[in-house]
Amino acid sequence: MNLSKRLVLTVIVLISCVGCDQASKSVAQSLLSETDVWSFWGDTVRLQLAHNHGAFLGLGSSFPEVLRDGLFSLGVAGMLVVLLGYILFSKAASPSSILAYALLLAGGLGNLIDRLIYGGYVVDFINMGIGPISTGVFNLADVVVVVGALMLLTGMPRANKRLSER
């Protein structure tokens, strides 16, 4: 896949995923509160506004503010720049892995935008579960990151098998 095709794919993924993520967070902030819970499908899906100062599912939210802000803003921004470079210039990346990495980039960028706009936190609003088993509160950017990671993980065995057959 040449550079222009990689760039077009990456831009399409970024615009669509980051756009949907930011739009959904805007709607969530205008309609939801941190105290009220909207419940759907027998309490399987719950919508409630949450401000996440940590990483995925709140990990690291108890870190000192300076460390947390540096790690989750500057550190993530640096990793996203490296990831973009890999997406655009890696000769070993397949089209499906480029898509997966672009999804990781889009999810990371969606949450980084929140941190920069809102002063260090990410807007989360979705919680799913059945009975006592439930996820933490998350957003669409988190879903995009998980989909990209699953694409990479499920594609690795096939890629490794092809490499070992050569």
Side-chain angles (χ1 to χ4, degrees):
M1 182 176 259
N2 65 33
L3 178 61
S4 62
K5 287 181 181 177
R6 289 170 186 242
L7 189 57
V8 167
L9 175 62
T10 303
V11 168
I12 290 170
V13 169
L14 287 174
I15 290 172
S16 59
C17 292
V18 174
C20 288
D21 174 62
Q22 291 298 305
S24 68
K25 290 172 182 175
S26 178
V27 169
Q29 287 193 104
S30 65
L31 297 178
L32 303 174
S33 75
E34 292 184 77
T35 55
D36 294 328
V37 178
W38 294 16
S39 178
F40 301 93
W41 299 301
D43 205 36
T44 303
V45 176
R46 293 170 294 283
L47 303 179
Q48 180 178 18
L49 191 63
H51 295 155
N52 180 0
H53 291 274
F56 185 70
L57 300 176
L59 295 173
S61 60
S62 62
F63 290 174
E65 186 176 349
V66 173
L67 174 62
R68 189 178 63 225
D69 289 348
L71 183 64
F72 297 139
S73 294
L74 296 175
V76 167
M79 287 178 19
L80 294 178
V81 168
V82 169
L83 185 56
L84 178 61
Y86 182 80
I87 290 168
L88 296 178
F89 302 112
S90 172
K91 302 224 185 290
S94 67
S96 62
S97 68
I98 291 169
L99 174 59
Y101 287 123
L103 289 169
L104 293 175
L105 179 66
L109 184 59
N111 283 335
L112 180 61
I113 289 169
D114 279 17
R115 289 192 192 284
L116 297 175
I117 290 174
Y118 304 121
Y121 67 83
V122 171
V123 174
D124 287 337
F125 60 94
I126 306 166
N127 183 308
M128 298 174 64
I130 298 174
I133 301 169
S134 71
T135 65
V137 184
F138 60 95
N139 59 45
L140 292 184
D142 297 331
V143 173
V144 170
V145 167
V146 169
V147 169
L150 287 174
M151 285 178 66
L152 288 172
L153 289 173
T154 59
M156 281 184 185
R158 287 187 298 256
N160 289 339
K161 183 177 179 186
R162 282 193 306 259
L163 287 175
S164 66
E165 290 173 353
R166 288 183 182 176

